[in-house]
Amino acid sequence: MKKSLIALAAVAVSGAAFAQSSVTVFGVVDQAVTMVNGGTNWNGINSGGNQTSRLGFRGVEDLGNGLKANFWLEAGLLADQGTGNTTGQTGLDFQRRSTVGLEGSFGEVRLGRDLTEAFKATSRYDVFGQVGLGVSRLWANNTLGNGVSSVALTSQRVSNMVTYVSPNISGFKAAVNYGFGEVQGENRDSRYVGAGLTYDNGPLSLGLSGERSNRGANSNVTSDVTAWALGGSYNLGVVKLAAAYRDSKAKILTGDKNKAKGYYFGVSAPVGAAGEVKASYNRYEGQIAGLDKHKADQFALGYVHNLSKRTAVYGTYAYIKNKDNGALDVNLNGTGTTGTLKDNGSQHGLQVGVRHAF
């Protein structure tokens, strides 16, 4: 009888513990038929035209007194191939996000790899959600452009980071990252430092960010890159307006600076109860030290129709025109694997796809 009571007590305690913690499996499968017309054309199926395909696990444990522990593991997918998020990769890795942290009334502290808070603070105003042919390249990962005139930018994600996110105070939130370079004897090499400040109150949203990424053996950049950005949006109900500006400078070994900057305007509007139309314009400018400045203009138009809370169909058209005979060499979606520019620096693209979230 005594053993039975002990067993029942153990089950009760176990049940209480489970009631205070949770683990969620989540993900997105998104694929689109894509056609790109340029100097060379490309046709096929892409993974992630509306949202990035992914598989993730996240959990929270209530530690009492308002303190919680959390973890987040998220892997990218090439759903069109059934592989990891890099061509030729057969297994999963959690390079989209891999963090563990504590949160409470003081805010949140977490450790690990994640999107930088500088990126989150201002890229959120891209009406195309930083994915697909219509994506704004202001926050391009590592470089703006693909040719000799390309300029180094910061990375969207950084490993080995300590992150602090403040609580929401009257609509304001502040967040900072420090990424260790982990180069023996050289603490400065490959180091990342960044911060984001956001304000969200009713229809108004604002974001400001600043960041610096140092060159080094453990870094994605070969220059010391410093960048700042400002963005905002206002929801009028029938239409939502958004805009952003970003300025980046890469200090090269000679001491000179390569420069990249640009601005963005976006608009989105509901169509009936289930649809949304969106459009954007981007101007990109890049300049290698001592050389001429090169420019590119990008236009995008898209429509998303929600069949349910989890499933949607969508279509996106985008056009880019690089000035100066394509010198900056910015492709749609920032990748040379989807065709090349025409001799005049232009490229068209069309995507039609299906997205399902779980």
Side-chain angles (χ1 to χ4, degrees):
M1 181 67 178
K2 185 176 181 180
K3 291 183 178 179
S4 298
L5 290 173
I6 293 173
L8 287 171
V11 170
V13 171
S14 175
F18 281 123
Q20 295 176 27
S21 63
S22 65
V23 176
T24 301
V25 179
F26 66 94
V28 174
V29 180
D30 182 322
Q31 300 191 52
V33 176
T34 303
M35 295 165 283
V36 176
N37 176 266
T40 57
N41 300 333
W42 191 93
N43 301 304
I45 294 180
N46 277 94
S47 176
N50 179 255
Q51 289 186 11
T52 302
S53 296
R54 71 195 75 171
L55 176 64
F57 308 87
R58 60 177 179 256
V60 177
E61 181 186 13
D62 192 339
L63 301 174
N65 297 318
L67 184 64
K68 296 180 180 180
N70 62 59
F71 80 90
W72 192 306
L73 296 171
E74 185 175 325
L77 299 172
L78 290 177
D80 55 322
Q81 301 178 25
T83 61
N85 64 349
T86 303
T87 301
Q89 179 183 325
T90 57
L92 291 179
D93 59 32
F94 297 101
Q95 291 199 28
R96 284 185 59 82
R97 181 170 175 179
S98 178
T99 63
V100 63
L102 295 172
E103 56 185 299
S105 59
F106 59 87
E108 181 184 4
V109 175
R110 57 177 178 263
L111 309 176
R113 178 177 175 83
D114 197 358
L115 289 167
T116 68
E117 295 301 323
F119 176 83
K120 292 178 185 178
T122 51
S123 69
R124 62 185 180 145
Y125 300 109
D126 181 0
V127 296
F128 287 93
Q130 280 292 287
V131 68
L133 289 181
V135 62
S136 172
R137 302 298 298 164
L138 289 186
W139 300 271
N141 201 33
N142 299 325
T143 61
L144 174 65
N146 303 296
V148 295
S149 298
S150 63
V151 179
L153 301 179
T154 55
S155 300
Q156 296 174 352
R157 290 179 171 83
V158 173
S159 301
N160 309 311
M161 283 200 305
V162 178
T163 299
Y164 170 71
V165 181
S166 77
N168 188 316
I169 303 174
S170 301
F172 288 97
K173 290 185 74 173
V176 294
N177 299 120
Y178 182 89
F180 291 90
E182 298 190 349
V183 178
Q184 184 173 339
E186 297 290 344
N187 291 332
R188 182 184 178 281
D189 284 3
S190 303
R191 180 181 59 187
Y192 173 86
V193 181
L197 176 65
T198 59
Y199 176 76
D200 295 282
N201 189 359
L204 177 64
S205 176
L206 298 171
L208 175 66
S209 66
E211 54 189 328
R212 180 179 176 85
S213 183
N214 291 343
R215 70 168 69 89
N218 195 38
S219 175
N220 291 324
V221 298
T222 56
S223 310
D224 289 337
V225 181
T226 304
W228 68 274
L230 174 68
S233 67
Y234 195 88
N235 194 340
L236 297 169
V238 294
V239 66
K240 185 176 182 179
L241 305 175
Y245 174 85
R246 190 167 192 255
D247 185 284
S248 180
K249 293 180 175 63
K251 186 177 181 180
I252 57 179
L253 293 175
T254 62
D256 293 324
K257 293 182 180 180
N258 299 336
K259 301 176 182 180
K261 65 180 180 179
Y263 52 88
Y264 153 88
F265 296 103
V267 59
S268 61
V271 178
E276 181 188 31
V277 63
K278 47 193 176 182
S280 68
Y281 165 72
N282 284 273
R283 160 57 67 93
Y284 311 121
E285 298 181 0
Q287 184 177 21
I288 300 297
L291 301 178
D292 292 336
K293 182 186 297 181
H294 300 300
K295 305 174 183 178
D297 295 310
Q298 178 183 311
F299 303 88
L301 178 66
Y303 177 73
V304 180
H305 189 83
N306 295 294
L307 302 175
S308 70
K309 290 184 178 180
R310 297 182 178 272
T311 304
V313 294
Y314 62 89
T316 302
Y317 167 78
Y319 170 76
I320 194 165
K321 176 66 186 302
N322 288 257
K323 310 293 186 179
D324 310 309
N325 297 317
L328 190 56
D329 198 21
V330 182
N331 292 66
L332 291 176
N333 207 22
T335 171
T337 62
T338 52
T340 60
L341 299 173
K342 293 181 179 179
D343 290 340
N344 66 358
S346 68
Q347 193 178 46
H348 299 262
L350 178 66
Q351 284 183 317
V352 179
V354 180
R355 182 206 75 220
H356 178 75
F358 59 90

